[in-house]
Amino acid sequence: MAIGTSLGAALVTLAALYWVIKWAVKNAIEESRSEISKAVKKGLEEYYDENKSE
C-alpha cells in the first residue's frame, strides 16, 4: 500500500511540475517575442548588407 501511495504522489507531482514548466516557458516566449523579432531582423539586415558588397 505504501508503494502505491508514493507512486501516486510522484505522478501527481510530476504532472504538476510539467504544467508549471510548460506555462512558464510559454509566457517567457510570449514576453520576449518582440525582442526576438528585433534581433532576427537586425541579423538579417546585417547579413544582407555584408552580402550586397560582394
Side-chain angles (χ1 to χ4, degrees), residues 6-44:
S6 299
L7 183 59
L11 290 176
V12 169
T13 303
L14 287 175
L17 187 60
Y18 167 79
W19 289 109
V20 168
I21 291 172
K22 181 179 176 182
W23 171 79
V25 169
K26 180 182 175 187
N27 284 346
I29 290 172
E30 287 178 3
E31 288 178 6
S32 62
R33 184 172 288 164
S34 65
E35 292 178 28
I36 293 170
S37 296
K38 289 177 189 176
V40 168
K41 185 176 180 180
K42 181 179 177 182
L44 287 174

